[in-house]
Amino acid sequence: MNVNTGSGEIPGLLQVTWPIIQAPVAGISTPSIEIAAGGIMDGAGLASVLRLGAVAAQLGTAFLATDKSAADEGYRRALLSDAANHTMMTRAISSRPARCLANRFTSFGAHVDSRDIPPYPIAYAAGKALHAAAMAAGESGYGAQWAGQGASLLRPMSTEKLMSTLIGELSKT
Ligand SMILES: Cc1cc2nc3c(=O)[nH]c(=O)nc-3n(C[C@H](O)[C@H](O)[C@H](O)COP(=O)(O)O)c2cc1C
């Protein structure tokens, strides 16, 4: 695929050289540009959505274990463990449905009636307090460990290396 779009439509619409955008990921990194995507973890996935007509792809989970991610050690360990094969939707963490790694928080949430969860941001603030208390006791499993369905394909490397890897993979398609 020809991705050298220096004078093509992508720079015109989004002012970027490469058709890759790091998704807004609360608590980790929040860029100002948004478009929609999901589950894209490598150059092949990127090429697929471009072929289907997207002008660029938004990747969130793929960047979680990079050096510029604010994910803490427990979150990173969980992302690189079997937990990445077990993402799930939960309201327990913020009161809004979102996908995350299955962990102690989601296990706890599985036994809570959704009508008993206070609205956002109260639930989210309470969850952060629970995580802080658990961390103080050496337990990282109550974190808001958000992750998409491609989490098991995550590659831990520097942000620069991930970008060059994605561009290299995309260029070969
Ligand atoms: C750590 C994390 C935090 C996120 N926070 C938000 C958020 O606050 N609001 C939102 O609309 N989406 C949020 N998302 C969803 C991302 O924008 C979503 O991941 C994006 O569509 C890219 O999908 P992908 O993670 O499968 O690449 C979050 C995702 C992650 C991984």
Side-chain angles (χ1 to χ4, degrees):
M1 175 174 283
N2 177 12
V3 293
N4 188 1
T5 53
S7 58
E9 62 180 330
I10 295 169
L13 289 173
L14 301 174
Q15 300 294 307
V16 294
T17 303
W18 298 101
I20 302 168
I21 298 167
Q22 194 252 292
V25 288
I28 304 297
S29 173
T30 305
S32 56
I33 300 172
E34 292 188 43
I35 67 160
I40 301 163
M41 302 297 288
D42 57 23
L46 190 46
S48 298
V49 296
L50 295 179
R51 281 202 194 92
L52 289 171
V55 294
Q58 178 174 283
L59 284 67
T61 301
F63 286 93
L64 289 180
T66 62
D67 58 327
K68 291 192 171 60
S69 161
D72 65 24
E73 279 310 306
Y75 194 170
R76 288 170 189 264
R77 268 198 311 277
L79 283 164
L80 300 176
S81 75
D82 183 55
N85 293 308
H86 304 285
T87 64
M88 58 179 293
M89 296 294 290
T90 184
R91 284 179 183 271
I93 296 175
S94 72
S95 91
R96 293 175 177 166
R99 183 168 294 278
C100 64
L101 302 175
N103 63 9
R104 289 201 156 195
F105 205 156
T106 60
S107 298
F108 165 69
H111 302 289
V112 177
D113 190 314
S114 61
R115 288 168 299 190
D116 293 333
I117 299 173
Y120 181 91
I122 298 169
Y124 204 22
K128 285 179 183 172
L130 171 63
H131 176 50
M135 286 294 280
E139 169 58 60
S140 61
Y142 288 92
Q145 295 173 341
W146 309 121
Q149 286 175 300
S152 63
L153 302 175
L154 184 147
R155 294 174 288 187
M157 55 178 76
S158 72
T159 307
E160 287 77 9
K161 177 73 178 162
L162 179 56
M163 282 300 292
S164 63
T165 299
L166 290 168
I167 291 164
E169 292 168 346
L170 179 61
S171 302
K172 286 183 194 143
T173 62

